[in-house]
Amino acid sequence: AQTVTQSQPEMSVQEAETVTLSCTYDTSESDYYLFWYKQPPSRQMILVIRQEAYKQQNATENRFSVNFQKAAKSFSLKISDSQLGDAAMYFCAYRSGRGAQKLVFGQGTRLTINP
Amino acid sequence: DAGVIQSPRHEVTEMGQEVTLRCKPISGHDYLFWYRQTMMRGLELLIYFNNNVPIDDSGMPEDRFSAKMPNASFSTLKIQPSEPRDSAVYFCASSFGTGGYNQPQHFGDGTRLSIL
């Protein structure tokens, strides 16, 4: 079974600075998808960014980018120019590329933005 | 476009009562998922449907939990009888995944369930 590990329960960063959240996963599959979801205090689950395992190029969405290292099974999220609205729980998630459509989530990292 | 709609947003009830959570997926989505979020266990999948058919219910904790999807626009998650340990936030999510289109899951706002 696939597992996802987020080793940083909490992180903090100064507003306008850059922060990187770590995620590692374990799988024997070669075809899969990885996601970062954001959960603010309102408890919505908001998709931040996704990466297809077959793509070598790292995904980017405005201030959010990933560092996908397939051999190392690592999928970190970089937030540039941090804003107060980025404060939230961030969850890394894995989904198989074939068959099961379910998401396997990490335990989450709570990100605090210091003004 | 409307997102995934869940109701109620909050539910407080006494132990032993029946609880029904409702979900309306995004129109056109063919997958529907029910997740539960607790401090101890994080986010875990309970069950998911494809084209209204349950595909994987291995995450359903016990027989007290049941889920149905009578049509493409509605699903329920029922707990009977409820117990305090069922207290959690329950999320519904939907996605379009047929024909090789692996789109991400879109989540509803969740139902916070408190069993006293």
Side-chain angles (χ1 to χ4, degrees), chain A residues 31 33 35 37 39 41-47 50 52 89 91 95-107 110, chain B residues 9-10 31 33 35 37 39-43 45 48 56 58 89 91 95 97 102-112:
Chain A
D31 183 20
Y33 298 81
F35 305 85
Y37 280 88
Q39 187 178 40
S42 64
R43 84 164 180 250
Q44 286 179 294
M45 290 291 288
I46 303 166
L47 178 66
R50 73 169 180 163
E52 293 86 347
M89 282 290 288
F91 292 94
R95 192 183 80 201
S96 173
R98 57 187 69 219
Q101 290 278 326
K102 67 181 183 181
L103 288 172
V104 177
F105 287 93
Q107 287 299 100
R110 182 175 300 280
Chain B
R9 185 159 171 80
H10 304 278
Y31 281 85
F33 306 81
Y35 291 90
Q37 184 177 31
M39 289 294 292
M40 291 297 294
R41 300 174 66 91
L43 276 155
L45 178 74
Y48 78 92
D56 183 355
S58 59
V89 178
F91 285 100
S95 68
N102 285 292
Q103 295 300 308
Q105 294 178 21
H106 298 267
F107 284 74
D109 288 346
T111 295
R112 180 176 295 281

Side-chain angles (χ1 to χ4, degrees), chain A residues 14-65:
Chain A
Q14 290 295 123
E15 192 176 3
E17 297 293 306
T18 295
V19 64
T20 299
L21 308 183
S22 301
C23 172
T24 58
Y25 57 94
D26 186 27
T27 184
S28 58
E29 300 177 329
S30 59
D31 183 20
Y32 52 87
Y33 298 81
L34 297 165
F35 305 85
W36 279 98
Y37 280 88
K38 168 185 176 181
Q39 187 178 40
S42 64
R43 84 164 180 250
Q44 286 179 294
M45 290 291 288
I46 303 166
L47 178 66
V48 175
I49 199 166
R50 73 169 180 163
Q51 175 80 41
E52 293 86 347
Y54 62 84
K55 289 186 177 179
Q56 293 186 338
Q57 186 173 8
N58 289 324
T60 299
E61 289 287 344
N62 300 314
R63 298 183 294 107
F64 298 87
S65 61

Side-chain angles (χ1 to χ4, degrees), chain B residues 54-75:
Chain B
I55 302 300
D56 183 355
D57 65 354
S58 59
M60 295 286 264
E62 48 197 273
D63 292 345
R64 297 185 298 106
F65 285 69
S66 62
K68 295 182 179 179
M69 192 165 186
N71 57 63
S73 60
F74 184 66
S75 177

Side-chain angles (χ1 to χ4, degrees), chain A residues 67-94:
Chain A
N67 183 6
F68 173 49
Q69 301 289 328
K70 191 171 183 178
K73 297 180 182 175
S74 171
F75 182 61
S76 60
L77 174 69
K78 186 172 80 171
I79 306 174
S80 303
D81 186 26
S82 299
Q83 300 176 1
L84 295 177
D86 295 333
M89 282 290 288
Y90 285 81
F91 292 94
C92 179
Y94 171 102

